Amino acid sequence: MRVVLAAAAITAIEASHANPISKVLDLLAGLRSKVVADGETEQKSYEEFAKWCKTESTEKKFEIEDGRNQVDSLTATIEKAAATISELDSKIEKLTSAVNQNEKDLDAATTVRHKEHDDYLATDKEMVEAIDTLERAIGVLEKALKKGSSLIQAVKTPEMQKLTQSLSVILDAGVFGTNDKTKLSAFLQSHEESEDSLGQAPEAAAYETHDGSSSILDLLGDMLDKAESQKAEADKAEMTSRFEYEKVKQSLTDQIAFDNKQLDAARKGLAAQREVKATSEGDLETTQKELNEDIKSDAETHDDCEKRAEEWDVSMHERAQEIEALDTATKIIKEKTGGAENQAYGLLQMNTKAVTHDFHGALAQISAVGQKAGDKSLSALAVRVRAALSSSADPFAKVKGLIAEMIEKLETKAQEEAAQHEFCESETKKSTDKQE
């Protein structure tokens, strides 16, 4: 604005020496058109920038919202994975304990079963031997009796003599009760006493049982029945014990297999959840970092856009002041010359006092604009020009020098501002292209 006003002032001075008033007014009108055109160009540039700010803000807000949603989702995934990991750890601990306990129970049941089976085999062996001995003893006696031998003669046979030793072994077996053992012992004792008596046979009564049984055959037969009955009961008990063991074994084996399958699945699930948690934690760290960067970038963009808007408001205000100053200067010249712009003579042909008075009016406008804009250089220029008009013999020449000096300084500053403006435009375009 200061360049425009200074240019307008020097143009007016030059016109006062060589050009008609219409030329001055045309120059002022041209300056005004240029100011308006520059304003329109700046307006278009700012509108594009404002549009970019709005688009950038909208996109960035969507990115921030999406980032926050991702952070929430990843946080929920991590918390869920952590809870699942805790549950699986507890489940694995319980399953491991259950498998160990069932294996111990199976080992204990197997140990008991082996002992029961060993006891059965030992008892069964005694029973089989006792049954075999009793059957053979009864057979020998019955065979001898069928041949017509007396009971005494039957007992004295060589074969029966051998069986007597086997019958003595039965007394040490745990198969029979005390009563049966007592009866058998009495028979064997009588047989031994008969052998010790000078070859004489014992009395027949010696082969009778003490409780009135008819003969030794009845005793042996009764003992055989008891042995066979006890063996049958032992066989049944062994079968039952084996069945119960197999049932327990199958149950424990199935449970161990099932728990091991569950344990394997839990361990795989635990490994998978730990991987999910670790991956989500890494993604969360990256997403949170990007979110923070987006928030920071959005704040910086907002600040830049706000700053540019403030600069735009100042520029628009200054441009309006420029137009107002040009319009005021044009109005003053037209009013004071009273249509002289259509006449073919210069300002030097006019009354010098009138021209000086009119120029003072233009300077007043420049000074007023400087005060409104807070520009000390414009105010200083106006003071120096007034002094020149008052003291110099050729005031217009001195004023031209002052204004030319001012214009040179302002043009230098204007070039610097233009370069800064071009840089801002370039950076804005780069940012817009990057977003696209």
Side-chain angles (χ1 to χ4, degrees), residues 237-248:
E238 167 66 10
M239 185 180 297
T240 300
S241 177
R242 183 175 60 190
F243 174 77
E244 291 296 330
Y245 167 74
E246 292 297 334
K247 185 169 67 173
V248 170

Side-chain angles (χ1 to χ4, degrees), residues 8-58:
I10 196 169
T11 300
I13 294 172
E14 289 176 345
S16 67
H17 291 283
N19 299 318
I21 296 173
S22 61
K23 291 290 184 178
V24 175
L25 295 176
D26 288 342
L27 288 173
L28 291 175
L31 288 172
R32 188 183 191 283
S33 297
K34 186 177 184 304
V35 172
V36 172
D38 289 344
E40 291 174 350
T41 300
E42 188 175 354
Q43 173 73 27
K44 182 179 179 181
S45 175
Y46 175 74
E47 288 177 353
E48 292 178 354
F49 179 76
K51 181 179 179 181
W52 174 84
C53 285
K54 183 177 180 181
T55 302
E56 177 72 6
S57 177
T58 301

Side-chain angles (χ1 to χ4, degrees), residues 348-415:
L348 290 177
Q349 294 174 305
M350 297 176 62
N351 184 279
T352 302
K353 291 183 179 180
V355 174
T356 301
H357 175 74
D358 293 340
F359 200 79
H360 273 296
L363 289 176
Q365 293 299 317
I366 294 174
S367 179
V369 171
Q371 290 177 358
K372 289 182 179 179
D375 193 328
K376 296 180 180 180
S377 60
L378 285 177
S379 299
L381 175 64
V383 172
R384 294 176 67 188
V385 170
R386 285 194 185 93
L389 288 173
S390 301
S391 62
S392 179
D394 186 4
F396 293 109
K398 189 169 184 179
V399 169
K400 277 182 61 179
L402 292 172
I403 295 176
E405 180 185 345
M406 182 66 177
I407 288 175
E408 183 180 355
K409 293 180 179 179
L410 294 176
E411 284 179 343
T412 300
K413 187 172 182 179
Q415 289 175 358

Side-chain angles (χ1 to χ4, degrees), residues 154-364:
V155 172
K156 296 295 294 181
T157 61
E159 188 175 1
M160 190 60 191
Q161 294 294 318
K162 293 180 181 180
L163 287 174
T164 301
Q165 296 177 355
S166 297
L167 290 173
S168 298
V169 176
I170 294 177
L171 293 176
D172 298 327
V175 177
F176 304 104
T178 302
N179 189 35
D180 292 329
K181 290 181 179 181
T182 301
K183 294 177 182 179
L184 181 58
S185 177
F187 168 75
L188 294 175
Q189 186 176 1
S190 299
H191 181 267
E192 291 174 357
E193 291 176 353
S194 66
E195 289 180 346
D196 294 336
S197 62
L198 301 176
Q200 296 179 354
E203 296 292 333
Y207 298 99
E208 299 290 338
T209 58
H210 294 289
D211 59 354
S213 298
S214 60
S215 69
I216 188 60
L217 287 174
D218 294 332
L219 173 62
L220 296 178
D222 184 57
M223 293 178 68
L224 177 61
D225 290 340
K226 289 181 179 178
E228 289 177 342
S229 177
Q230 288 183 15
K231 184 179 186 309
E233 290 178 359
D235 290 342
K236 183 179 179 181
E238 167 66 10
M239 185 180 297
T240 300
S241 177
R242 183 175 60 190
F243 174 77
E244 291 296 330
Y245 167 74
E246 292 297 334
K247 185 169 67 173
V248 170
K249 179 183 178 181
Q250 187 64 49
S251 176
L252 290 173
T253 302
D254 290 345
Q255 188 62 47
I256 290 171
F258 178 78
D259 288 345
N260 279 328
K261 185 177 180 180
Q262 292 289 100
L263 190 58
D264 183 61
R267 285 169 176 163
K268 289 180 179 179
L270 179 62
Q273 288 300 314
R274 284 176 174 169
E275 183 177 358
V276 168
K277 184 173 180 288
T279 301
S280 297
E281 287 174 342
D283 292 343
L284 177 60
E285 183 179 357
T286 301
T287 302
Q288 186 65 62
K289 181 178 179 181
E290 292 176 351
L291 175 60
N292 293 337
E293 291 176 352
D294 287 341
I295 293 174
K296 180 180 179 182
S297 175
D298 182 55
E300 291 175 348
T301 300
H302 176 76
D303 292 342
D304 290 342
C305 291
E306 287 291 326
K307 183 179 179 181
R308 181 71 179 275
E310 292 175 359
E311 292 174 350
W312 163 250
D313 289 339
V314 171
S315 178
M316 288 294 293
H317 179 68
E318 291 179 349
R319 198 173 302 280
Q321 289 180 330
E322 290 179 5
I323 294 173
E324 181 183 358
L326 290 170
D327 288 345
T328 301
T330 300
K331 181 180 178 182
I332 291 173
I333 292 174
K334 286 183 177 181
E335 288 178 352
K336 297 303 179 180
T337 57
E341 67 273 14
N342 296 320
Q343 300 176 16
Y345 51 82
L347 289 177
L348 290 177
Q349 294 174 305
M350 297 176 62
N351 184 279
T352 302
K353 291 183 179 180
V355 174
T356 301
H357 175 74
D358 293 340
F359 200 79
H360 273 296
L363 289 176

